[in-house]
Amino acid sequence: MASPPISEDDLHAWTDGRLEAERRAEVEAWLAAHPDKAQTLNHWRELNAALHSAYDPVAEEAIPARLREAVRRPRRSLAMAAAVGWIAFGSLLGIATGYQLGRHPDDAPTQLVRNAAIAHAVFSPEQRHAVEVGADQEQHLVAWLSKRLGRTLHIPALDRHGYQLMGGRLLSADAGPSAQFMYENDAGERLTLYVSVDPDRRDDTAFRFAEHDDIGTFYWIDGGLAYALSGRMSRQALLPAATDVYRQLLR
Amino acid sequence: MILHERDLLAEIPPLRRYARALTGDPNRADDLVQDTLERALGKWRLWRPGNLRGWLMTMMHNQFVNDVRRPSPIEYRDEDTLPESSVRDTLANGLALRDLDRALDALPPDQREVLLLVGLEDLSYQEVAAITGTPVGTVMSRLSRARTRLRAALDGDEMQASHLKRVK
């Protein structure tokens, strides 16, 4: 016989259906004479079948939003990495020079924009833990965050711009507790409203715009509260919602 | 060459299936898929038209190898809030999914990869060799060890009790 002897590799190839017809017949003839090996191969085939029946349903599931997002917006990950790196750098910088910087009166808006943009970058991609308290408990959300910030807060409605309130969360900022409210539209785009108490009770400021890492932020100080509305969009795209928030929150 | 969003989308379901079996956990699996997609998009300039699945599987292999070298982060997850899995708890042959997860988890990662790429993803030994960057001979010996170990691990489980068809 010219055929090489049956090897271990042949047995795997038989299991996985990778043999040519001729070799397959030879292996099967050999197996008929080796029932213990035939039983082993039967186990191997059952194992392949078990893997399929266990895990094939995963391939039938709807693709999670965050994975569709990963394909759609490749730059987000870079912006996230930048934001996270920035937090680390900012902490070091803060340890070294923060005290003086923090006291500089012109620096508050910079801090505000920075904090708001980081909070937006960190929390807005979250699918399952985007908010701590959902919009279904809006009264509780307002009462809780008002208590923590020591000020009566109001949550603006952005429905007319297509954004629904998702809920909010408590954050810690340089000056103490801050609040973040999150909104989402049908396309899955998110806006966040960041609110913190202005510790120095500075005069009200105008309505201004800043951009960092693709995150646009409109910010202002009004009645001792600092506000920032952030979104991963251009100034022009963000302006209508921001103007509306500003009007709704005006004392 | 441009990677099209629709082409990438079409590859996500098999990537998720493989990642789910590889990591044993739905969240870690999707983290791995996401990291893989981001890695692929970061290297899209290296993409040449052809076997997109193989290219992405190679990215996932590299990502997985990096991940297993790194100590896994502590995860705080509330069991109550975990999403429902569509994976069946008990398989047709009576083998429980968690037993399969556990037995796979007990395999060395390189053997688990080969077993799944062959047995679940139905890739040829040559494709698996290309993805894992090893000779075909190494693929075969890993496959052999994985099957032997897994059979031993599952002995005593329901699989043993299921009827065995005799090969003619």
Side-chain angles (χ1 to χ4, degrees), chain B residues 42-159:
Chain B
K43 299 191 176 199
W44 65 271
R45 282 183 187 81
L46 302 176
W47 158 245
R48 295 290 172 270
N51 186 354
L52 181 58
R53 167 104 31 114
W55 189 67
L56 290 171
M57 286 288 186
T58 306
M59 296 281 165
M60 183 172 276
H61 162 76
N62 293 337
Q63 186 67 40
F64 177 68
V65 168
N66 277 354
D67 289 350
V68 295
R69 280 202 197 117
R70 216 180 295 138
S72 54
I74 299 170
E75 293 190 27
Y76 302 94
R77 294 199 200 275
D78 185 349
E79 289 294 326
D80 295 340
T81 64
L82 289 177
E84 289 278 317
S85 172
S86 70
V87 173
R88 277 167 277 170
D89 284 341
T90 305
L91 308 180
N93 61 1
L95 182 71
L97 174 65
R98 62 176 178 283
D99 293 331
L100 198 54
D101 272 341
R102 201 181 307 131
L104 286 171
D105 188 53
L107 290 179
D110 54 357
Q111 292 179 23
R112 197 189 318 149
E113 276 194 294
V114 169
L115 180 79
L116 293 172
L117 289 171
V118 170
L120 178 61
E121 298 306 319
D122 299 321
L123 297 176
S124 73
Y125 305 137
Q126 287 75 17
E127 286 172 306
V128 176
I131 288 167
T132 57
T134 52
V136 174
T138 308
V139 168
M140 297 314 292
S141 65
R142 285 177 183 171
L143 179 62
S144 186
R145 273 177 278 156
R147 283 180 164 152
T148 306
R149 274 174 182 252
L150 209 63
R151 188 184 168 188
L154 293 171
D155 260 359
D157 284 333
E158 298 296 322
M159 194 181 198

Side-chain angles (χ1 to χ4, degrees), chain A residues 2 6 8 33-34 37 40 57 62 77 86 100 110 117 135 138 141 147 171 177 195 201 204 214 219 227 230 246:
Chain A
I6 306 297
E8 174 92 5
H34 297 81
K37 272 290 173 191
T40 300
S77 60
W86 201 20
Q100 289 84 348
T110 314
E138 188 170 340
L141 178 67
K147 187 175 172 213
L171 300 169
V195 186
R201 298 236 24 170
D204 298 350
D214 290 347
Y219 62 96
Y227 299 98
S230 303
Y246 179 74

